[in-house]
């Protein structure tokens, strides 16, 4: 005789139940703002992870950087590049939102801010930027508390990653025709160094960038030229 016990709570939801839940999250009917925010957060992380995986396999820039990191003795497992929710998500009015970060300790990792990207190319340039920091630390033993070291790596990362392409700057609200690329590299390098806890002030950041500007702007390793 068939059991009359109710279905286990672990029984998978039906397709209709999943559809209904998705509709609730999209429309906001029957769910809280917190539930909708959590669903969007999870969706952004999944999208970011997929783009990251695809780029690690097929992007000429990312594949090139991973190769040269291996040649320099630094392996970068896929799990060392990870997507997480971050504060201050990207919006159409916030073009300078934090998109990623290089985490040098303990073994070097790249954090990507899920939901802060407006295109696959944006993810690509962010990964490349942070891999350049990793390359500098691996190859040149960067001391991140030394403002000149930090400034040089920021100049190189902004110069070589594609972060300062003309249309990227236009999207940020910066319009210029004379030495636009150099102005972008300098501005972003100063901003990053100024955020270093070891940097006393914006003036110190500007001085550090100015002191290493010429030599670090012309240093395109491991590339032959600016991408």
């Amino acid at each position: 005789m068939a059991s009359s016990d109710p279905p286990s709570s672990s029984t998978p939801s039906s397709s209709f139940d999943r559809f209904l839940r998705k509709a609730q999250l999209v429309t906001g009917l029957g769910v809280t703002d917190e539930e909708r925010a959590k669903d969007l957060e999870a969706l952004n992380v999944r999208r970011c992870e997929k783009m990251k995986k695809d780029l690690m396999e097929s992007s000429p820039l990312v594949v090139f950087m991973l190769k040269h990191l291996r040649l320099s003795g630094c392996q970068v497992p896929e799990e060392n590049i990870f997507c997480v929710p971050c504060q201050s998500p990207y919006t159409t009015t916030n073009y300078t939102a934090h998109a990623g970060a290089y985490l040098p300790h303990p073994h070097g990792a790249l954090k990507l801010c899920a939901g802060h990207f407006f295109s696959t190319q944006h993810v690509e340039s962010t990964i490349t930027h942070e891999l350049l920091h990793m390359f500098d630390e691996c190859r040149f033993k960067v001391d991140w508390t030394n403002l000149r070291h930090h400034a040089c790596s920021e100049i190189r990362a902004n110069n070589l990653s594609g972060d300062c392409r003309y249309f990227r700057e236009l999207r940020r609200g910066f319009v210029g025709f004379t030495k636009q690329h150099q102005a972008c590299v300098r501005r972003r390098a100063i901003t990053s160094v100024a955020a270093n806890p070891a940097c006393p002030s914006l003036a110190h950041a500007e001085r550090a960038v100015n002191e290493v500007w010429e030599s670090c702007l012309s240093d395109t390793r491991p590339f032959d030229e600016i991408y």
Side-chain angles (χ1 to χ4, degrees):
M1 180 176 178
S3 172
S4 60
D5 291 340
S8 167
S9 60
S10 62
T11 302
S13 300
S14 67
S15 296
F16 177 76
D17 289 337
R18 290 194 296 272
F19 168 79
L20 182 61
R21 178 61 176 172
K22 190 65 177 178
Q24 287 177 318
L25 289 166
V26 170
T27 63
L29 298 174
V31 294
T32 65
D33 289 343
E34 183 179 359
E35 287 176 311
R36 293 189 73 189
K38 287 290 185 184
D39 181 70
L40 178 60
E41 193 175 85
L43 177 62
N44 285 333
V45 169
R46 290 195 299 272
R47 286 174 174 169
C48 176
E49 285 288 344
K50 183 180 186 309
M51 286 190 287
K52 175 208 78 175
K53 183 176 178 60
D54 290 346
L55 288 165
M56 290 184 73
E57 294 173 353
S58 62
S59 161
L61 266 177
V62 175
V63 170
F64 179 87
M65 283 303 308
L66 292 172
K67 172 187 173 182
H68 281 271
L69 277 157
R70 286 195 300 272
L71 292 173
S72 297
C74 294
Q75 295 288 340
V76 187
E78 183 180 331
E79 60 269 22
N80 278 31
I81 303 177
F82 58 91
C83 298
V84 292
C86 300
Q87 294 181 347
S88 303
Y90 175 84
T91 69
T92 55
T93 58
N94 182 11
Y95 300 116
T96 59
H98 184 59
Y102 172 54
L103 309 175
H105 303 294
H107 302 299
L110 275 63
K111 178 183 76 173
L112 301 175
C113 290
H116 291 209
F117 300 103
F118 51 79
S119 68
T120 302
Q121 189 181 66
H122 188 192
V123 182
E124 179 186 50
S125 62
T126 300
I127 293 175
T128 304
H129 180 118
E130 306 306 340
L131 287 176
L132 279 157
H133 287 321
M134 183 180 286
F135 177 84
D136 285 353
E137 182 174 53
C138 180
R139 184 78 178 272
F140 308 122
K141 312 305 178 188
V142 172
D143 174 4
W144 298 105
T145 65
N146 183 313
L147 298 189
R148 287 165 59 91
H149 285 200
H150 187 187
C152 188
S153 190
E154 290 295 349
I155 291 167
R156 283 172 34 74
N158 284 293
N159 190 34
L160 300 171
S161 65
D163 278 326
C164 286
R165 292 188 184 99
Y166 178 78
F167 287 105
R168 180 69 56 78
E169 277 289 86
L170 195 63
R171 190 179 184 96
R172 294 182 184 119
F174 294 97
V175 182
F177 298 98
T178 304
K179 296 187 176 181
Q180 169 270 330
H181 180 85
Q182 290 92 328
C184 169
V185 172
R186 184 185 294 276
R187 184 190 74 249
R188 289 173 60 82
I190 290 171
T191 299
S192 294
V193 175
N196 187 328
C199 183
S201 68
L202 182 62
H204 284 79
E206 291 176 346
R207 186 179 306 122
V209 169
N210 289 337
E211 287 173 350
V212 300
W213 176 256
E214 293 296 337
S215 60
C216 297
L217 189 69
S218 62
D219 184 355
T220 62
R221 289 174 292 180
F223 298 98
D224 293 328
E225 59 186 11
I226 296 172
Y227 174 72

